Amino acid sequence: MNDSEAIELYYDDFAPHYVPGWRSLEHYGPLVADFLLREVTPECRVLDVGCGPGQLTRDLAPDVHVTGTDLSPGMLAEANLGRPDGRYEQHDFHDPLPGSWGRFDVVVAVGCLEFCRDLPGTLGNLADVCAPGARVLVGIVEDRTTPGSSRRAFSEDGLPGIDMHAYDATAQLAAITAAGLSPWSYRFVPAWRHDEYSYVVRYGLWELRADGTGALRVS
């Protein structure tokens, strides 16, 4: 069994119970909601990468076109229940997205890049499906103690042998620029509590532009 298959089974197992637990474990929800409130416009096309049960985008206005991707069919089924008019597709973000899906005005990849082993390639895949001027929000696990990139066990109990991938801010910025995206704002924020190891995972939370312009704001 490869990493993607193991992650798929892991999240399938508790897909129906994820949202109640998410409410108490994850801190990034309000930050994503604020971004979507500012950037989503009527009838725009939104890509929710690693959408899980769709909790981040299910309440967007009915005229907004939402496409969600995830490794877990169980999570995709939950997302479809929450927003039946959305489009939900099984997909690994390490692979290019099908051109037939078209281009997107807003892209969110938060709560999923923990498993990203190739950050430049993955961000490049997202950039490839951005419409001109698209707004992008990504949350990347940040490790300020190890230069470049690092790994640690995600869950010895539920996902033995599967690593959580972290990157320092320099590696994150290099991956963003290699993908052809422009950094607009950056924040170092608590993301979620890892109860198995009793620590809080932190993100480099980036707002990006797909127009090749932008002045970085750091907070």
Side-chain angles (χ1 to χ4, degrees):
M1 181 183 300
N2 62 33
D3 286 6
S4 295
E5 291 169 337
I7 294 167
E8 173 187 333
L9 291 175
Y10 176 76
Y11 282 99
D12 266 350
D13 187 53
F14 63 91
H17 313 292
Y18 182 82
V19 171
W22 172 83
R23 295 297 183 191
S24 62
L25 289 174
E26 298 176 8
H27 305 293
Y28 57 77
L31 300 174
V32 177
D34 173 70
F35 170 80
L36 293 172
L37 181 64
R38 288 185 283 109
E39 302 297 350
V40 171
T41 56
E43 300 186 358
C44 78
R45 305 189 73 242
V46 176
L47 177 64
D48 187 354
V49 180
C51 65
Q55 79 279 8
L56 298 175
T57 53
R58 67 174 46 165
D59 294 327
L60 293 176
D63 65 344
V64 173
H65 307 281
V66 174
T67 296
T69 72
D70 204 275
L71 287 173
S72 163
M75 288 292 192
L76 293 169
E78 291 296 317
N80 189 64
L81 286 173
R83 191 180 178 94
D85 60 346
R87 174 179 182 172
Y88 298 99
E89 301 279 358
Q90 188 175 19
H91 181 76
D92 186 333
F93 51 59
H94 293 100
D95 299 325
L97 283 83
S100 60
W101 293 5
R103 294 184 178 272
F104 297 89
D105 306 297
V106 174
V107 177
V108 177
V110 179
C112 60
L113 297 180
E114 282 78 341
F115 300 112
C116 181
R117 60 184 180 272
D118 177 10
L119 189 59
T122 296
L123 295 183
N125 291 335
L126 303 188
D128 286 344
V129 295
C130 283
R135 299 330 195 210
V136 182
L137 183 71
V138 296
I140 303 164
V141 178
E142 182 164 333
D143 182 359
R144 292 189 165 184
T145 64
T146 305
S149 62
S150 60
R151 303 178 181 184
R152 66 184 304 171
F154 182 80
S155 170
E156 292 292 1
D157 179 42
L159 273 175
I162 304 299
D163 291 329
M164 178 166 62
H165 295 259
Y167 302 84
D168 70 7
T170 299
Q172 293 175 46
L173 182 57
I176 288 165
T177 55
L181 297 166
S182 297
W184 186 257
S185 74
Y186 160 85
R187 285 180 282 181
F188 182 57
V189 299
W192 51 277
R193 178 174 174 78
H194 198 311
D195 283 339
E196 186 173 343
Y197 302 121
S198 298
Y199 74 96
V200 173
V201 175
R202 294 183 176 272
Y203 282 164
L205 190 70
W206 296 82
E207 291 188 30
L208 310 171
R209 301 289 188 264
D211 55 10
T213 63
L216 177 62
R217 295 179 286 111
V218 178
S219 61

